[in-house]
Amino acid sequence: MLEGNFSLNSKCPDALRDVMEKSFPEFYEYYESTCKSNQHLSGQPMQDPFGERRPNFDYTTQLRRLQQIKRKLDAKAQAEKSSEGETSSEDNSEHDNKLQS
């Protein structure tokens, strides 16, 4: 859900998306280590105990997707941090201008 494009028509509530974005970095190392430790299974078929057809494991692609999500969230956090810095800088300038008047 974090890698999709979310428009105004998205069915994902903003509160849920916020929780996902905030918790992802906390679990990223675990997700990454799981993919790396299971990469040897990539290409092998999944075994279903009920005999249903299942796809092959693909930890390599999953790891790449996780890394893309992390880059996207890191960039978003950096942009928000920069934006906050500009806002506080503007607030300080306004405050300084009022003091000089």
Side-chain angles (χ1 to χ4, degrees), residues 21-70:
E21 288 181 359
K22 288 177 181 155
S23 65
F24 182 84
E26 296 171 22
F27 294 99
Y28 178 77
E29 285 183 23
Y30 170 74
Y31 298 151
E32 182 182 45
S33 67
T34 299
C35 286
K36 286 180 177 180
S37 66
N38 290 302
Q39 266 186 319
H40 67 281
L41 296 173
S42 287
Q44 294 183 22
M46 295 179 188
Q47 299 293 322
D48 186 292
F50 302 104
E52 297 291 322
R53 294 190 67 199
R54 298 286 176 219
N56 293 341
F57 287 106
D58 193 359
Y59 286 101
T60 304
T61 300
Q62 293 303 320
L63 178 60
R64 193 175 11 221
R65 290 171 64 194
L66 287 169
Q67 291 166 340
Q68 288 172 345
I69 292 168
K70 184 176 186 312

